[in-house]
Amino acid sequence: MTAFPWPVQETAGASEFEAGLPFALDDFQREAFAALDAGHSVLVSAPTGSGKTLVAAYAVHRALAARGKAFYTTPLKALSNQKYGELVAAYGEDHVGLLTGDTTVRPRAPVVVMTTEVLRNMLLAGSDLLEGLHTVVLDEVHFIQDPYRGGVWEEVLVMSPPEIRFVCLSATVNNAGELGGWLRSVRGDTAVIVERERPIVLRHHFAVHRREDAEHLMLPLLLDNGQPGGEGLRIDQAVRRALQGGRGAHWQPRGRGPRLPYRPPLRTEMVEELRRFDMLPAIVFIFSRAACDDAVRQVMRDGIRLTDAHERKAIRQIAERRVEPLGDDDLRVLGYDEWLEGLERGLAAHHAGLVPVFRETVEECFEAGLLKVVFATETLSLGINMPARSVVIERFSKYGAAGRATLTSGEYLQLTGRAGRRGLDEEGHAVVSWSNETTFAEVARVAVASPPDLRSAFRPTYNLAVNLVARFDRETAHVVLHRSFAQWQARSPDLLTRQLDHRLGVLEKMGYVEGWALTPAGRQLSRIYHESDLLIAEALREELLVEAEPSVLAGVLSCVVFEPRRARRTPGHPHHGHRRGKKRPLQDRLGDKRTADLGRRGASLAELAERIRATEEAQGVPRTRQPAPGLATAVASWARGASLEVAIEVAARDVGELAAGDFVRTMKSVADLAQQVSHTAADPAVAAAAREAVQLLLRGVVAAGLPGA
């Protein structure tokens, strides 16, 4: 009998696990532990910061004690990387792996953190890594309503072997019972545990500047009975009178309307108020990356310093350790000196436009209590472990698909869930800044409203369609679809069946299926996991990548990865960190021949996309998104060894200003896709070029911060 390859806890009960904790368990955690001990799956719906992940930790503990494996899945690579670090600290580096598409570290470890797509792909491929799998944690399961990633949760839950136990962790939702009912239908015994109380009391405030006496007001948003505070309602009345031209209204020049008796606090004023009321550290949510960066610069210009000498020294040590892999030129391009000055003052921005090594530095410094104010976009509220004493919402509306809209109760809950640090704060604070867009009464209404229902976004993809054909007969495939949460919620019983049939109609027209059987092209498509799966399969079938150099291959693949909306045209405004007035030819390292080859292949890819889109339109299927070639030259340049400065300048020339974090994320996504091509391409030369492209892309700032890099 072979020895068990990792440490085993001989006892797995809750009492032994709790003995190692520095605090007592809450009732909902005890209930979840008991369900796991009984061999059930669990769904835990609870506020952010309430301790849901402790249930996941106990499930991992039980899996190892049962001599099984545990997978911890998240919807975001950044969250997977953070969870990996936490589990390494708990179990040791040798016993924890990470799989995120562009990163593979110890995939056969007893505990593996991964993005949910990776687990779904394993299930479809029948991977041997599934052997011995005991428990799967689905973190942030409310992502089930995300337009693309949402369906991945459902595929995992429907297709996993029946013996696997699931721990589903969700932010507070209104229909946890409905979700739990569906989980029982696909996973058997499942305990639904709903916790609505926060472990730390949350105080809601409304911040406004009164012009009459230049006083900053921090008003209670809600009274003890949950009703809106009276002083805030009087502000609504005063603003209404001013807008109607009543007493006290002063008209602004140039037709701007009346000068209202109130205004929002300036950012520096808000920071000073938070410091005055002992409400730091704080996260200030601003729904714009550029505005987050501007906020740091603005507060710095106003002379704010929130750290002492000891804290500044600790911050510099963390930052220097984190950026050690980067050269001086890269640091200059990234604006390192200004960024570090902000950190040392206790100020930082946090958003997806930052390169990962900067973003992770901010997270480490904040968790260590060294940073006092972080200006962040809402992505920080999605699972990243950065609790604060206070959360500030600068503007109570944000842009979405339908334009600017007031925050929903679910968004307010998610954002304010960061307020209050367990073991450090007696209470947390949520502060909303006044704006003439939203009344005090509306903010109060949203603050006490019920959380939203969770709605499924699952739809059959081409990849899922061919995998259903490969694994099941037609009747069984329909049964699999009918087990989805989308079908559970649908009013029509045959909604997903019709959607699958439409997808299969496209695939039959294009030669990927014949009747209920796959062609060789269909088998190739079954191994491509991407939003543009059919377009990538067509590119391989039409030999679009044959004889392409690795750098050109990477540039072509970027056309199905790059999101043009991430770039912004700012004529005359150089990229942050670049020297103004510098005019010289860009040394993109491609030359005329490669540039022309890249252009030809990109044009051919666009033609393939139009062919697919025409077939989709005829079959009543939502059309595949068009390829976006704007970043192809910059990607190819980077793969050819161009510096970060040159690659970003090429990007700025071709698509407009692109945040360094978006550039890095695109490189990683292209590397992920190239990895898939290396495993899928029938032509050995194409597979070899794709493997080389992965190595060329994952270097410098793109590789910095990757585990094992």
Side-chain angles (χ1 to χ4, degrees):
M1 179 176 176
T2 57
F4 196 56
W6 49 79
V8 177
Q9 299 287 342
E10 294 301 332
T11 57
S15 57
E16 292 83 7
F17 182 82
E18 186 178 2
L21 299 176
F23 50 81
L25 294 174
D26 290 335
D27 289 345
F28 85 91
Q29 293 165 333
R30 292 186 189 282
E31 186 180 349
F33 284 19
L36 291 170
D37 287 342
H40 300 167
S41 293
V42 296
L43 165 65
V44 181
S45 174
T48 300
S50 60
K52 293 188 295 290
T53 53
L54 196 64
V55 178
Y58 181 62
V60 171
H61 168 83
R62 291 195 79 261
L64 297 183
R67 300 178 179 265
K69 295 195 295 190
F71 287 174
Y72 195 115
T73 77
T74 81
L76 304 172
K77 289 182 181 180
L79 185 52
S80 291
N81 290 337
Q82 187 177 72
K83 292 299 179 186
Y84 168 77
E86 293 173 5
L87 286 165
V88 164
Y91 291 101
E93 194 172 71
D94 292 343
H95 304 110
V96 183
L98 177 67
L99 295 172
T100 61
D102 55 39
T103 305
T104 300
V105 178
R106 292 179 293 278
R108 298 188 180 277
V111 182
V112 185
V113 184
M114 62 189 68
T115 51
T116 321
E117 284 99 330
V118 170
L119 177 53
R120 185 270 313 271
N121 301 348
M122 283 187 192
L123 289 165
L124 290 175
S127 171
D128 64 347
L129 294 177
L130 297 167
E131 185 179 347
L133 181 58
H134 180 282
T135 296
V136 171
V137 177
L138 297 180
D139 203 352
E140 304 287 335
V141 78
H142 52 281
F143 243 68
I144 208 165
Q145 56 196 4
D146 181 78
Y148 175 65
R149 294 187 179 97
V152 176
W153 294 127
E154 299 185 47
E155 293 179 51
V156 165
L157 286 159
V158 168
M159 294 188 297
S160 293
E163 66 272 14
I164 295 174
R165 290 290 170 259
F166 278 85
V167 176
C168 303
L169 306 179
S170 171
T172 307
V173 294
N174 206 37
N175 61 334
E178 180 187 27
L179 178 60
W182 170 68
L183 285 170
R184 291 188 191 101
S185 75
V186 294
R187 301 306 317 167
D189 291 331
T190 302
V192 178
I193 298 159
V194 177
E195 174 59 61
R196 298 202 182 276
E197 295 298 319
R198 292 170 46 94
I200 298 175
V201 173
L202 180 64
R203 303 294 181 194
H204 303 263
H205 309 273
F206 192 71
V208 64
H209 176 89
R210 186 165 56 204
R211 295 183 191 273
E212 180 181 54
D213 54 8
E215 185 176 358
H216 306 302
L217 304 176
M218 189 77 77
L219 308 176
L221 180 66
L222 302 171
L223 302 177
D224 291 341
N225 62 4
Q227 295 300 307
E231 192 169 354
L233 294 177
R234 287 190 286 276
I235 288 175
D236 284 353
Q237 294 170 353
V239 170
R240 249 191 324 269
R241 286 196 300 270
L243 289 171
Q244 293 166 359
R247 184 164 53 90
H250 303 284
W251 288 90
Q252 300 273 38
R254 300 180 185 172
R256 294 179 186 170
R259 184 173 185 268
L260 300 176
Y262 299 92
R263 66 162 173 81
L266 302 178
R267 285 163 179 159
T268 300
E269 293 170 346
M270 178 64 79
V271 170
E272 291 285 21
E273 285 293 282
L274 294 171
R275 177 157 61 175
R276 183 163 74 93
F277 287 107
D278 194 25
M279 293 167 67
L280 297 177
I283 298 169
V284 181
F285 284 109
I286 305 175
F287 304 118
S288 159
R289 298 174 177 185
C292 289
D293 295 331
D294 289 343
V296 175
R297 287 192 284 269
Q298 178 184 343
V299 176
M300 285 172 61
R301 279 196 307 269
D302 290 342
I304 295 293
R305 184 188 298 278
L306 304 171
T307 52
D308 58 30
H310 173 76
E311 290 169 326
R312 290 193 289 275
K313 180 180 179 182
I315 288 168
R316 178 175 284 271
Q317 288 175 340
I318 291 172
E320 289 179 347
R321 169 172 51 81
R322 286 278 186 176
V323 304
E324 189 175 1
L326 304 182
D328 290 345
D329 286 343
D330 286 352
L331 292 176
R332 175 179 54 78
V333 172
L334 295 171
Y336 173 74
D337 290 340
E338 182 183 18
W339 173 75
L340 180 58
E341 182 185 354
L343 286 183
E344 290 184 325
R345 288 173 178 243
L347 305 164
H350 186 287
H351 54 72
L354 293 175
V355 293
V357 70
F358 278 19
R359 197 168 61 246
E360 291 160 8
T361 302
V362 171
E363 291 165 9
E364 182 177 349
C365 289
F366 196 82
E367 288 176 45
L370 298 170
L371 295 182
K372 311 305 178 183
V373 179
V374 170
F375 298 95
T377 58
E378 68 267 35
T379 54
L380 184 148
S381 68
L382 296 173
I384 299 297
N385 183 27
M386 283 180 62
R389 180 168 295 166
S390 303
V391 161
V392 178
I393 300 175
E394 187 176 271
R395 198 171 178 182
F396 209 69
S397 64
K398 66 174 187 174
Y399 280 109
R404 184 165 284 281
T406 299
L407 296 184
T408 66
S409 59
E411 290 167 333
Y412 184 79
L413 276 171
Q414 189 82 25
L415 296 173
T416 58
R418 295 285 157 209
R421 299 167 299 172
R422 198 166 191 173
L424 293 174
D425 301 320
E426 292 184 1
E427 57 187 22
H429 302 276
V431 183
V432 177
S433 244
W434 177 85
S435 166
N436 61 4
E437 299 173 331
T438 313
T439 65
F440 176 94
E442 175 67 5
V443 174
R445 183 195 66 77
V446 171
V448 297
S450 298
D453 281 353
L454 194 62
R455 305 300 303 175
S456 171
F458 173 74
R459 300 292 181 269
T461 63
Y462 291 116
N463 174 271
L464 179 59
V466 293
N467 274 290
L468 288 174
V469 171
R471 296 182 60 184
F472 308 109
D473 59 43
R474 190 186 298 269
E475 183 178 349
T476 306
H478 289 167
V479 170
V480 170
L481 285 181
H482 283 138
R483 297 180 71 203
S484 69
F485 188 42
Q487 190 64 63
W488 182 272
Q489 292 187 314
R491 294 181 179 178
S492 170
D494 62 347
L495 172 68
L496 295 181
T497 299
R498 291 200 311 271
Q499 291 177 347
L500 176 64
D501 290 343
H502 289 316
R503 292 274 178 184
L504 289 171
V506 172
L507 294 171
E508 189 149 26
K509 287 281 186 185
M510 300 191 68
Y512 286 83
V513 297
E514 293 177 354
W516 195 259
L518 298 184
T519 65
R523 287 191 289 275
Q524 190 173 47
L525 174 58
S526 72
R527 301 192 301 276
I528 299 172
Y529 309 104
H530 192 271
E531 196 170 357
S532 297
D533 45 15
L534 183 54
L535 178 56
I536 297 163
E538 275 291 275
L540 290 173
R541 186 168 71 157
E542 295 294 321
E543 301 185 341
L544 189 62
L545 300 177
V546 169
E547 297 183 354
E549 286 191 9
S551 60
V552 172
L553 181 146
V556 173
L557 294 182
S558 76
C559 297
V560 298
V561 169
F562 175 54
E563 301 175 54
R565 65 187 176 85
R566 290 298 185 196
R568 52 184 187 143
R569 291 286 183 186
T570 50
H573 180 72
H575 184 273
H576 178 62
H578 288 191
R579 293 187 291 270
R580 291 182 181 270
K582 180 170 58 176
K583 295 193 176 181
R584 55 176 174 75
L586 295 177
Q587 304 299 316
D588 62 20
R589 300 196 173 204
L590 295 184
D592 293 341
K593 184 177 178 181
R594 290 188 191 86
T595 300
D597 188 28
L598 183 58
R600 282 193 300 271
R601 294 177 193 269
S604 297
L605 186 68
E607 291 174 6
L608 290 181
E610 283 305 315
R611 185 192 310 168
I612 293 171
R613 286 161 63 86
T615 307
E616 288 171 331
E617 189 168 14
Q619 295 293 319
V621 171
R623 294 190 294 176
T624 296
R625 79 175 180 95
Q626 292 177 316
L631 213 60
T633 303
V635 171
S637 298
W638 177 256
R640 284 282 299 164
S643 68
L644 176 64
E645 180 174 29
V646 167
I648 288 185
E649 284 182 339
V650 171
R653 178 197 67 192
D654 293 346
V655 299
E657 188 179 7
L658 186 72
D662 289 323
F663 175 82
V664 168
R665 188 165 49 259
T666 300
M667 297 304 115
K668 289 181 177 180
S669 296
V670 175
D672 186 352
L673 184 53
Q675 189 82 273
Q676 290 192 45
V677 169
S678 74
H679 296 312
T680 307
D683 186 322
V686 172
R691 280 193 297 275
E692 187 175 349
V694 174
Q695 300 303 314
L696 296 173
L697 290 166
L698 297 180
R699 64 179 179 87
V701 69
V702 177
L706 289 177

